[in-house]
Amino acid sequence: MIWTVMQTSWRRLKNNRSELFLTFIVPIVFFSIFAVIFGSRDSASSTPKIKIAISDTSGAALSERAVKLLEEQKSLRVSENSRSHGASKEGASGASTVSRSAAEDLVRRGMVSAAIVFEKSELADSANGLPKIEIMTDSFDQVASQVLAAIVQKAVMTANGELLKEKSDKFVQANAPIPANASMVKSSLPMNLVRTADFNANADASGASSSSLSQPPTIDVVDVIGGKKTNPVVAMYAAGIAVMFLLFSATTASGSLLEERENSTLDRLLCSRLTMDQLLLGKWAYLTVIGSIQMALMFTWGAIVFGIDLLHHLDGFVALTLVTAGAAASFALMLAALCTSRMQLGWVSTIVILSMSALGGSMVPRYLMSETIQKAGLLTFNAWALEGYNKLFWRELPLADLKLELAVLLGCGFLFIVAARLFAVRWERS
Amino acid sequence: MTLSLDSIPQPPSGALTLETPALAVVDLWKAYGNNQALQGTSFVLNQGERLALLGPNGAGKTTLIRSMCGRVRPDRGQVFLLGKSIRDPDVLLQMGVIPQDLAIYADLTAKQNLECFGQLHGLRSRKLKERVAWALKWIGLEDRANELTKGFSGGMKRRVNIACGVLHRPRILLLDEPTVGVDPQSRQRIFDMLDELNEEGTSIVLTTHHLDEAETRSDRIVIVDHGKVVAEGTIDHLIESTIGTQRQVTIQASGLLVAAPPGLEWDSEKGRFVCWVDNVADELPGILERIQKVGGVVLDLEVHQPNLHDVFLHLTGKELRE
């Protein structure tokens, strides 16, 4: 009996291609997609670089040298925007730095993950030529701030070592003949210069090179965005979850189109005054309204329970939610019009939405992905929606700063609904 | 069976006359790849007429029905509704379509379904309310108007399905197997409803697999096979023009019959004598006498009146459900 049950179950599975595909092929497809998205971080060529801005108003040689070293760092990328965003001076190394306020603005707008600020120190450190060092971070990227502190510390110590070495070389050349035994000169130098003489100037800051200061420099890390928030993490993840579920609910609801086709209701509908244009637009409007309500409920709950500041960003939230829900509705209808049955829509939408959500940052922040995947993520409208919500709730930017995201989402919505209409032509008249 | 555009009575300057066919299908051709579904199908449905459309599976009935309601664009030929091409905007609103499937929303109540399809057919406010109330009464579901249709029996769902297609008072009603999977009582109820509509002037095209429905519930029959109309007319006309009106008499006899009685044939398959008669009352006594004369004793006798099934089998070589 048990064998008969097993045999019948297997035969049913074998006769159902969709189920067979879902059981054995879809997991492999998912694994491959996720492996490509997250696994590619191991590749050195595509490891994400930390995007930074640098502000150096200290006028110190040490900071100038440190900036040069930071620019040479493979793990950092000094933002191109900093060159057009209030560039303050051209350093000796050719580095472009910005003013402190401009650097902070870049961080606030999310154009860089952090900013490094070198200023004249009013404390005791200035006597040693050390500027005041501050890292302005955006705790949205929780990895960058921690890594950057170590890198800056290293760069400053290396710069200091280089400067000391240059001084010691000059000192030796100017004040003493080259001794037969160099070790005797070495022993006559102060301790920190001895260390400098041993320093490998070409050492990679990320490697295990020696330090050039007896004490590491003091670096202040200031969270310029998340620091003031009561519950910063919620603002980051609310949008990600909301957009992903918006897509799932929209595609499920769009399945009604296929249901209507399967049971001949579509024939009956199209024999009435209703046209296919009106049918699709009606469903789009319905899905947009339902999606907007869904998002509003989620963020209202987030505001009440988790302290998301919805009230002060209402205009941006309404605009962004409407275009996001509209784009999700268009996308869902496009998938429905593309598929031939509700079962097919089920598995196609699951694969596509989970992939888009992973790529677009709904599951894991995009800054953790490789640069290539981050760029690929921009092809999903999730990424643009999330960026919009992050600008709004995390960076607290006004509606005017969401123009790009709103335009992209509107464009996506339009393209998807046009595609849905084209796919639906086959249902109008066979 | 051919019908040309010129042979269809056209209303002068668009005015509708009694001679204008309710529906005219003129030389329809449609192919799906190499499969020629329709090959010059033509027929007419007169105003106030009930027409049964019959054909074996694969005869092209579905394509024909879909062409008639504008859901299939034929490769050639035209369909006219009350003298106007179905390509004419709004002309389709003169037609009510009842699909074979239950094309209603299972998660809406009977009333909500009626309201939805009423609105889609242009009914609004008071008119809509009146028609929905009429429909609920017509289908006998007034007391269950606010229940979800998914909880209804098959027959009740069928009735709601039909009501959704007639709310807007169509002049022509197209029913694709409206009684599939319905018990005899509900079938009777459905046909009573359709008769009511027909009495009010609605012309009806009915496709069915029940030959008795076609015989008793239609004024005329059109038989389609291989994408063409192979016969059309009243049941009497069809019988007369195909297999003739003679009754078949089958006789089982015993005794020492040395030869077949005069005028009777031996059907070895049935193991009986068979003959054809024009008038049973006049001819049957003579037949029985001839059997007795050759020493036979009649054990059983059967008189079969030619019917639509015989016509259908004769024309298509297939049973209706094949």
Side-chain angles (χ1 to χ4, degrees):
Chain A
M1 286 297 165
I2 294 170
W3 169 246
T4 308
V5 172
M6 280 181 68
Q7 193 183 37
T8 310
S9 303
W10 167 244
R11 281 176 178 167
R12 288 183 65 192
L13 178 67
K14 214 169 66 170
N15 293 338
N16 189 334
R17 283 187 185 177
S18 300
E19 209 175 317
L20 212 57
F21 184 80
L22 273 172
T23 309
F24 298 114
I25 307 298
V26 170
I28 297 171
V29 172
F30 265 110
F31 164 70
S32 306
I33 291 169
F34 279 67
V36 167
I37 294 172
F38 301 115
S40 60
R41 291 198 66 224
D42 294 332
S43 163
S45 60
S46 58
T47 302
K49 292 182 177 182
I50 302 169
K51 214 170 173 184
I52 58 161
I54 299 173
S55 170
D56 180 12
T57 54
S58 68
L62 177 67
S63 62
E64 196 174 290
R65 183 68 63 102
V67 168
K68 190 185 168 191
L69 286 169
L70 286 169
E71 285 200 324
E72 288 169 358
Q73 274 289 326
K74 285 179 183 171
S75 55
L76 300 180
R77 186 199 292 161
V78 180
S79 170
E80 291 292 321
N81 286 312
S82 66
R83 286 167 168 77
S84 59
H85 200 280
S88 63
K89 68 160 193 163
E90 278 290 315
S93 61
S96 291
T97 66
V98 295
S99 65
R100 180 193 167 86
S101 61
E104 187 177 336
D105 192 45
L106 284 169
V107 177
R108 283 193 181 281
R109 287 175 181 280
M111 298 170 99
V112 294
S113 297
I116 304 162
V117 179
F118 296 95
E119 287 179 317
K120 275 184 186 167
S121 174
E122 293 166 0
L123 301 173
D125 272 352
S126 60
N128 301 330
L130 275 178
K132 181 189 171 194
I133 307 168
E134 192 179 311
I135 298 177
M136 292 193 282
T137 64
D138 169 5
S139 52
F140 177 72
D141 186 340
Q142 291 164 356
V143 177
S145 56
Q146 292 171 26
V147 173
L148 197 59
I151 291 174
V152 171
Q153 207 167 59
K154 190 79 185 171
V156 171
M157 291 171 83
T158 305
N160 188 52
E162 285 178 4
L163 287 172
L164 285 173
K165 183 174 181 292
E166 283 171 16
K167 279 181 188 172
S168 69
D169 287 347
K170 283 177 189 171
F171 173 79
V172 170
Q173 283 172 6
N175 302 308
I178 298 169
N181 188 348
S183 63
M184 287 174 66
V185 178
K186 216 172 167 181
S187 64
S188 69
L189 291 170
M191 197 55 176
N192 57 350
L193 293 188
V194 172
R195 287 187 189 144
T196 306
D198 291 339
F199 181 72
N200 179 358
N202 296 321
D204 191 322
S206 61
S209 57
S210 60
S211 31
S212 58
L213 288 173
S214 53
Q215 291 294 322
T218 308
I219 298 171
D220 294 327
V221 178
V222 181
D223 185 357
V224 294
I225 302 177
K228 297 170 193 168
K229 290 184 168 55
T230 50
N231 202 345
V233 181
V234 176
M236 282 165 57
Y237 290 107
I241 300 292
V243 171
M244 186 166 71
F245 277 91
L246 180 67
L247 277 169
F248 272 121
S249 55
T251 45
T252 305
S254 71
S256 67
L257 198 60
L258 289 164
E259 183 189 358
E260 282 161 353
R261 189 184 157 271
E262 284 165 11
N263 67 11
S264 300
T265 310
L266 188 65
D267 278 346
R268 172 172 266 175
L269 293 174
L270 295 176
C271 283
S272 68
R273 286 177 190 265
L274 191 72
T275 63
M276 183 58 89
D277 290 338
Q278 290 170 327
L279 177 66
L280 283 178
L281 281 176
K283 286 191 181 287
W284 176 84
Y286 164 75
L287 292 175
T288 302
V289 170
I290 291 294
S292 300
I293 294 171
Q294 191 185 7
M295 297 287 276
L297 278 175
M298 184 143 178
F299 274 88
T300 305
W301 177 255
I304 295 168
V305 180
F306 300 104
I308 295 174
D309 189 8
L310 181 62
L311 216 58
H312 291 101
H313 302 98
L314 212 53
D315 53 347
F317 174 75
V318 169
L320 201 56
T321 297
L322 281 175
V323 291
T324 305
S330 301
F331 182 75
L333 286 172
M334 183 185 73
L335 282 186
L338 187 64
C339 292
T340 52
S341 67
R342 271 186 295 172
M343 183 181 266
Q344 191 188 31
L345 176 68
W347 61 258
V348 166
S349 61
T350 303
I351 294 174
V352 172
I353 292 170
L354 285 181
S355 303
M356 275 175 53
S357 300
L359 207 58
S362 281
M363 295 178 178
V364 176
R366 287 175 61 233
Y367 63 77
L368 288 176
M369 302 172 195
S370 71
E371 291 213 343
T372 314
I373 298 296
Q374 280 188 40
K375 280 179 189 166
L378 292 175
L379 294 174
T380 69
F381 82 88
N382 299 49
W384 292 96
L386 295 195
E387 186 56 30
Y389 283 109
N390 282 332
K391 275 188 175 179
L392 199 63
F393 291 108
W394 180 250
R395 304 187 194 294
E396 300 185 322
L397 297 177
L399 176 62
D401 282 307
L402 304 178
K403 278 180 202 157
L404 179 63
E405 286 75 18
L406 290 172
V408 170
L409 290 168
L410 268 177
C412 284
F414 179 74
L415 284 177
F416 292 149
I417 195 73
V418 168
R421 181 65 188 89
L422 292 175
F423 289 131
V425 166
R426 73 184 198 280
W427 289 338
E428 277 183 293
R429 284 189 176 189
S430 44
Chain B
M1 189 65 53
T2 56
L3 187 72
S4 70
L5 197 56
D6 299 333
S7 65
I8 299 169
Q10 294 295 312
S13 62
L16 194 64
T17 65
L18 284 172
E19 289 73 36
T20 309
L23 175 77
V25 175
V26 185
D27 194 27
L28 282 191
W29 290 77
K30 178 71 185 178
Y32 296 103
N34 293 326
N35 178 28
Q36 194 70 47
L38 296 179
Q39 304 186 64
T41 314
S42 300
F43 69 88
V44 159
L45 167 75
N46 297 312
Q47 287 185 51
E49 190 179 30
R50 295 174 305 166
L51 185 125
L53 190 63
L54 305 179
N57 287 336
K61 272 196 324 285
T62 305
T63 306
L64 182 58
I65 292 163
R66 288 174 62 81
S67 302
M68 284 193 278
C69 62
R71 298 290 299 122
V72 162
R73 190 189 293 274
D75 299 332
R76 214 167 79 200
Q78 285 195 68
V79 177
F80 295 93
L81 253 65
L82 298 164
K84 288 182 180 175
S85 168
I86 55 161
R87 291 176 195 166
D88 199 340
D90 291 343
V91 77
L92 276 173
L93 291 173
Q94 301 287 343
M95 181 182 269
V97 181
I98 318 292
Q100 184 181 338
D101 296 317
L102 288 167
I104 53 174
Y105 294 107
D107 40 15
L108 290 185
T109 65
K111 192 178 175 189
Q112 287 167 340
N113 265 296
L114 292 166
E115 284 170 350
C116 164
F117 289 104
Q119 283 176 355
L120 290 172
H121 281 96
L123 299 176
R124 293 285 181 274
S125 55
R126 206 184 69 174
K127 187 81 182 162
L128 176 68
K129 213 172 168 181
E130 280 174 11
R131 291 302 292 165
V132 169
W134 167 84
L136 286 168
K137 192 177 175 188
W138 184 59
I139 60 178
L141 290 173
E142 282 170 300
D143 54 335
R144 302 189 69 173
N146 295 314
E147 287 180 34
L148 296 182
T149 53
K150 65 182 170 191
F152 285 5
S153 69
M156 288 157 77
K157 284 177 188 170
R158 285 272 158 207
R159 278 184 269 159
V160 177
N161 194 36
I162 293 171
C164 288
V166 300
L167 269 176
H168 61 294
R169 292 181 185 272
R171 302 282 298 273
I172 301 128
L173 189 58
L174 193 60
L175 297 117
D176 190 6
E177 304 212 31
T179 56
V180 167
V182 170
D183 62 80
Q185 277 181 323
S186 291
R187 270 177 69 188
Q188 183 60 43
R189 177 79 193 241
I190 287 169
F191 279 109
D192 288 346
M193 283 160 50
L194 296 178
D195 286 344
E196 222 177 286
L197 286 178
N198 183 243
E199 280 164 20
E200 288 170 12
T202 308
S203 312
I204 294 174
V205 178
L206 165 78
T207 74
T208 179
H209 273 116
H210 296 284
L211 288 173
D212 60 317
E213 282 180 2
E215 275 194 54
T216 57
R217 300 290 180 172
S218 68
D219 304 319
R220 212 151 52 86
I221 293 163
V222 169
I223 299 175
V224 182
D225 196 18
H226 300 296
K228 286 185 243 180
V229 174
V230 291
E232 68 168 287
T234 59
I235 179 72
D236 292 339
H237 170 76
L238 287 175
I239 290 170
E240 203 171 326
S241 62
T242 54
I243 53 174
T245 53
Q246 287 187 319
R247 268 55 166 175
Q248 187 189 48
V249 179
T250 313
I251 298 166
Q252 188 183 7
S254 65
L256 293 170
L257 297 173
V258 287
L264 276 85
E265 291 168 15
W266 175 250
D267 187 332
S268 56
E269 263 184 44
K270 292 179 181 170
R272 292 176 179 218
F273 292 106
V274 176
C275 69
W276 297 88
V277 296
D278 288 314
N279 189 314
V280 177
D282 291 347
E283 298 177 39
L284 195 57
I287 294 168
L288 296 175
E289 199 180 317
R290 289 201 291 275
I291 294 171
Q292 283 173 344
K293 275 184 182 173
V294 294
V297 178
V298 175
L299 298 175
D300 193 13
L301 184 145
E302 193 181 323
V303 179
H304 175 70
Q305 184 182 0
N307 59 22
L308 189 57
H309 179 262
D310 302 316
V311 173
F312 193 83
L313 208 59
H314 174 82
L315 288 168
T316 65
K318 299 167 191 166
E319 296 281 348
L320 191 55
R321 290 225 172 254
E322 278 179 33

